[in-house]
Amino acid sequence: MSTRRILYISQEIFPYVDESEISKVSRELPEFIQHHKNEVRLFMPKYGIINERRNQLHEVIRLSGANIAIDNRDHPLFIKVASIPSARMQVYFINNDDFYKRKTMFEPTPKTGNDNDERSIFFVRGSLETVKKLRWIPEIIHCHGLFSALATIYLRRLYHDDPAFAGAKLVVSLYNEPTPAEMPETLFRKLEADNIPAEDYAIMEGKTDFRALMRLAIAHADAIVLGSAEVDAELLAYAEASGKPLMPYPGAEHSAEVYNEFYNTL
């Protein structure tokens, strides 16, 4: 089989943050897939809780310096990278001090309030803009966690005719997230500012909770993976009713062979 290029956009990757179901899969799956003669790229936010010295992060000047406009305000994008030596993989970190320097992943702070909508938009758009700069064209884009859910609607609307992503299949993993990021209702204003029409996110029914965001992701994805043994019943029913390819929970080991076979069906 020819080499496949797979982009992983994840809200958390171990060991840079604490181990969780999402961070563990986001760390192990790409390595396994890479060992199956595929090319992979990994992206996550550069949260302030990440120890840069211990994890040997360094800025990539040639990829940094662009501005991401959110709600008509520019925010500078900085890219840092670190290697996982045992896996021979690099992880790209999306960084902006205003959004990620705080010592939390998703919790609002007294100073910033809940700006998770802007932080999520910056993360997914920063990841996609960096992939373009890398001149690396993914065939599959696999999103992990609520914080990456908006990647699907941005790929469908803002990047749908971009040669770097036009042929990519979008896969979303559905997890049982115990404490998902809370999104403020100002998200809709930010989507409107990016010229994303309301009908594209009508499935959210004016809500910004976990179910609404994951319905959005499922609606714009090409395929869905059950990343947890038990997932929200309403979301599972919605995924099943979509008629899209649905990969059952692959077990605690998340065998690369199971994912590889599923990717082949796309």
Side-chain angles (χ1 to χ4, degrees):
M1 184 180 296
S2 60
T3 297
R4 186 188 289 115
R5 294 179 298 278
I6 304 172
L7 169 63
Y8 292 96
I9 301 177
S10 178
Q11 68 183 28
E12 51 195 287
I13 301 174
F14 182 79
Y16 304 106
V17 295
D18 291 343
E19 184 170 330
S20 66
E21 189 165 43
I22 297 177
S23 71
K24 186 172 185 289
V25 172
S26 299
R27 160 64 181 83
E28 296 177 353
L29 174 60
E31 179 181 2
F32 294 153
I33 292 297
Q34 182 173 262
H35 285 171
H36 281 66
K37 300 181 180 180
N38 296 295
E39 292 182 22
V40 303
R41 297 290 186 273
L42 289 74
F43 284 81
M44 72 169 286
K46 196 276 157 187
Y47 304 111
I49 59 175
I50 297 173
N51 188 309
E52 294 192 37
R53 179 173 295 181
R54 184 173 66 237
N55 292 293
Q56 299 182 5
L57 272 66
H58 63 272
E59 186 175 343
V60 185
I61 302 299
R62 69 182 181 88
L63 298 176
S64 299
N67 283 319
I68 303 293
I70 301 176
D71 201 17
N72 299 313
R73 295 194 305 273
D74 285 341
H75 304 274
L77 169 65
F78 301 96
I79 303 299
K80 299 197 173 186
V81 68
S83 296
I84 303 177
S86 61
R88 296 183 179 179
M89 290 191 310
Q90 286 188 323
V91 177
Y92 292 88
F93 295 86
I94 301 301
N95 192 35
N96 175 287
D97 283 352
D98 291 338
F99 290 141
Y100 307 115
K101 191 174 184 179
R102 65 200 70 167
K103 296 297 183 180
T104 65
M105 286 176 59
F106 309 127
E107 296 83 357
T109 68
K111 180 179 179 180
T112 63
N114 188 349
D115 59 350
N116 278 332
D117 53 346
E118 295 191 358
R119 299 173 76 231
S120 177
I121 291 171
F122 188 88
F123 168 48
V124 299
R125 291 196 60 194
S127 298
L128 298 175
E129 290 295 333
T130 303
V131 169
K132 289 173 60 176
K133 278 194 173 183
L134 290 171
R135 300 182 183 277
W136 185 81
I137 301 176
E139 296 162 77
I140 292 174
I141 301 174
H142 194 160
C143 299
H144 298 262
L146 175 72
F147 219 54
S148 70
L150 292 176
T152 57
I153 194 170
Y154 274 92
L155 281 160
R156 291 301 188 206
R157 179 55 62 177
L158 263 65
Y159 297 89
H160 68 283
D161 59 353
D162 193 303
F165 305 110
K169 297 296 184 180
L170 310 185
V171 181
V172 169
S173 279
L174 182 57
Y175 294 93
N176 178 17
E177 299 185 41
T179 54
E182 295 182 2
M183 294 281 183
E185 292 183 0
T186 50
L187 168 65
F188 299 118
R189 190 181 76 237
K190 313 299 168 53
L191 296 177
E192 182 181 358
D194 280 334
N195 297 314
I196 296 177
E199 56 262 29
D200 282 6
Y201 49 86
I203 189 64
M204 297 176 68
E205 299 177 341
K207 300 177 181 178
T208 56
D209 58 13
F210 175 73
R211 284 177 174 172
L213 265 296
M214 293 315 299
R215 281 200 308 270
L216 179 76
I218 292 169
H220 291 285
D222 292 301
I224 303 101
V225 169
L226 300 185
S228 299
E230 296 182 8
V231 299
D232 183 271
E234 180 181 305
L235 290 175
L236 176 59
Y238 181 72
E240 292 173 338
S242 72
K244 298 175 180 180
L246 178 64
M247 183 182 123
Y249 177 61
E253 296 304 316
H254 286 270
S255 168
E257 201 57 52
V258 176
Y259 281 89
N260 240 5
E261 292 173 3
F262 186 67
Y263 289 156
N264 289 339
T265 67
L266 307 179

